Amino acid sequence: MTTTATESAARSRIPAVPGAPLLELRDLVMHFNVKGEGMLIRANNKVRAVDGVSLTLGEGETIGLVGESGCGKSTTGRLITRLLQPTAGQILYRGHDIAKLSEPKLRPYRRELQLIFQDPYSSLNPRHTVGTIIGTALRVHDLVPKGEELPRVRELLDIVGLNPEHYNRYPHEFSGGQRQRIGIARALAVKPKVIVADEPVSALDVSIQAQVMNLLEDLRKEFGIAFIFIAHDLGVVRHFCDSVAVMYLGRIVEQGARDVVYGAPQHPYTQALLSAVPDLGVARGTPPKARIRLSGDVPSPINPPSGCRFRTRCWKAEDICAQVEPKLERKADGLLSACHFAAPPAGSLTAQVD
Ligand SMILES: Nc1ncnc2c1ncn2[C@@H]1O[C@H](COP(=O)(O)OP(=O)(O)OP(=O)(O)O)[C@@H](O)[C@H]1O
Ligand code: SF4
Ligand SMILES: [Mg+2]
């Protein structure tokens, strides 16, 4: 039997503030203090990993969070699940701000907001059996009476496609794909409303990736869970997500419904990302597109460029881009784009920047 998002909402243990969305990030900031290097060893630097991210996730919705390595995707996921406390900003779950809550007050929210980690090898304690790993999640949240976890553990193993009788085995006795299923079962144990899946299949063999993605898809339908789905693979995001948020250097530069972002992206960075994916036509029905090659590396998040952070690699940059930071503004089809010269690609993408 499948669960609609409305039924899932009704079963939440946290009463919603009237009119509040399931999850809302408002101007979320995470700066890490780091020491300088070499001559600057005494300097205190700030890594601006997340620098003003706002995002809204509806009941049962799936948002894909994409962008190059180091742009702040995992940090955003760790903030949402409060493995990190933000430097500033709000994390509103059903209208309640959990950004600064102490650990005891966070407890009921931890049940509702779960994280699936990228690496199925290091995210499971090698000294514990699968039964203990999943059973601990049940015990911590008082979901079953002490000593009565086993039937529920078996049920969860069955749900994620593992043999229920393998509860006594250790993580090393499973393959990578099977371990990721154990991580998914652990997240499911507490009946979450939101799962942040941080590159859940990128460490797996290609042949196994589709199986785990199908499992996540089934769980989403069956339990009405909303997802923040972090991924490098834009093909997987297109398949799995309702909408897409594109991050660059700690900010969201473009966001919108999946078909709008993939069909007519307006931000040059999104256009460049999509042009690098072989089988994704940016402008549908057009001849094969040329790849946009971005010059240079991503600038340091310690000292991001003035104005538009993408300007040092953007082929459309003009003087204003160095002076005025573009705001995330609404364009056609509800697309939000942060670019002074936002425009859909004209036909196939032909710009070449090297
Ligand atoms: N604990 C930390 N201390 C200092 N800097 C950190 C810390 N965690 C993350 N960072 C930095 O914050 C930035 C964002 O990191 P994050 O892991 O969120 O990126 P990401 O988008 O998930 O990258 P990837 O795609 O490689 O996983 C990076 O520059 C990273 O080095
Ligand atoms: S604001 Fe300027 S530099 Fe930034 S993406 Fe737009 S054109 Fe490029
Ligand atoms: Mg990451």
Side-chain angles (χ1 to χ4, degrees):
M1 192 182 73
T2 60
T3 307
T4 65
T6 319
E7 286 163 348
S8 170
R11 288 216 297 260
S12 172
R13 295 148 295 255
I14 313 276
V17 171
L22 178 63
L23 178 72
E24 189 181 357
L25 310 181
R26 284 194 197 155
D27 286 327
L28 202 57
V29 173
M30 185 72 222
H31 291 173
F32 295 106
N33 288 318
V34 289
K35 287 273 172 230
E37 290 176 354
M39 302 282 283
L40 300 173
I41 190 82
R42 286 179 186 281
N44 278 322
N45 290 321
K46 280 190 172 60
V47 176
R48 297 164 184 271
V50 173
D51 214 10
V53 162
S54 297
L55 198 65
T56 302
L57 179 73
E59 298 280 355
E61 193 189 355
T62 299
I63 297 182
L65 198 55
V66 303
E68 282 164 294
S69 185
C71 70
K73 306 180 295 295
S74 293
T75 305
T76 303
R78 293 165 72 83
L79 287 168
I80 291 170
T81 48
R82 273 302 315 274
L83 297 181
L84 291 171
Q85 180 168 318
T87 310
Q90 292 179 300
I91 304 165
L92 298 157
Y93 181 73
R94 297 192 187 282
H96 307 279
D97 188 6
I98 64 167
K100 305 279 179 193
L101 284 191
S102 61
E103 199 51 49
K105 290 196 172 149
L106 264 178
R107 214 167 152 224
Y109 295 94
R110 291 213 180 282
R111 264 189 75 181
E112 310 236 336
L113 298 155
Q114 286 286 306
L115 182 68
I116 297 174
F117 295 89
Q118 173 176 7
D119 185 355
Y121 295 91
S122 64
S123 61
L124 303 174
N125 189 329
R127 288 189 296 275
H128 287 169
T129 63
V130 167
T132 305
I133 290 169
I134 300 172
T136 301
L138 294 168
R139 260 194 315 279
V140 164
H141 292 283
D142 299 325
L143 294 174
V144 286
K146 199 167 184 325
E148 293 178 26
E149 299 91 1
L150 192 51
R152 178 70 181 139
V153 168
R154 281 204 181 109
E155 190 188 343
L156 284 159
L157 289 175
D158 190 41
I159 288 173
V160 300
L162 292 173
N163 186 334
E165 300 314 316
H166 288 174
Y167 63 88
N168 242 346
R169 295 191 175 183
Y170 289 86
H172 74 265
E173 296 176 79
F174 293 88
S175 69
Q178 288 172 328
R179 286 185 215 196
Q180 196 56 299
R181 288 173 191 267
I182 297 167
I184 294 168
R186 176 176 57 185
L188 278 183
V190 297
K191 301 188 176 166
K193 299 289 168 266
V194 177
I195 289 183
V196 176
D198 189 357
E199 311 237 17
V201 296
S202 62
L204 305 177
D205 285 352
V206 175
S207 57
I208 308 294
Q209 287 185 356
Q211 293 173 15
V212 174
M213 284 311 302
N214 288 341
L215 170 64
L216 291 174
E217 180 84 56
D218 291 347
L219 298 176
R220 185 170 68 141
K221 285 187 191 142
E222 192 165 342
F223 300 111
I225 299 169
F227 275 85
I228 300 278
F229 187 81
I230 297 171
H232 274 103
D233 185 336
L234 289 158
V236 172
V237 170
R238 184 169 68 163
H239 176 72
F240 191 67
C241 300
D242 307 309
S243 62
V244 183
V246 181
M247 279 188 85
Y248 188 80
L249 266 186
R251 297 255 165 106
I252 290 176
V253 295
E254 187 146 76
Q255 194 198 338
R258 173 195 53 194
D259 291 346
V260 179
V261 172
Y262 281 80
Q266 298 214 13
H267 196 286
Y269 181 58
T270 314
Q271 292 171 359
L273 282 184
L274 290 176
S275 83
V277 185
D279 60 345
L280 289 178
V282 168
R284 272 168 287 171
T286 57
K289 60 193 187 293
R291 179 171 177 179
I292 299 172
R293 291 182 198 285
L294 296 175
S295 59
D297 295 328
V298 182
S300 164
I302 292 176
N303 191 17
S306 64
C308 175
R309 294 178 179 207
F310 185 56
R311 71 176 167 81
T312 54
R313 302 168 79 200
C314 181
W315 67 97
K316 288 171 87 176
E318 298 198 12
D319 289 349
I320 187 178
C321 303
Q323 289 146 19
V324 181
E325 175 152 20
K327 290 196 171 64
L328 199 58
E329 285 174 343
R330 204 162 286 279
K331 314 287 178 191
D333 296 325
L335 186 73
L336 292 168
S337 204
C339 172
H340 295 304
F341 304 103
S348 62
L349 290 166
T350 52
Q352 284 281 351
V353 183
D354 257 316

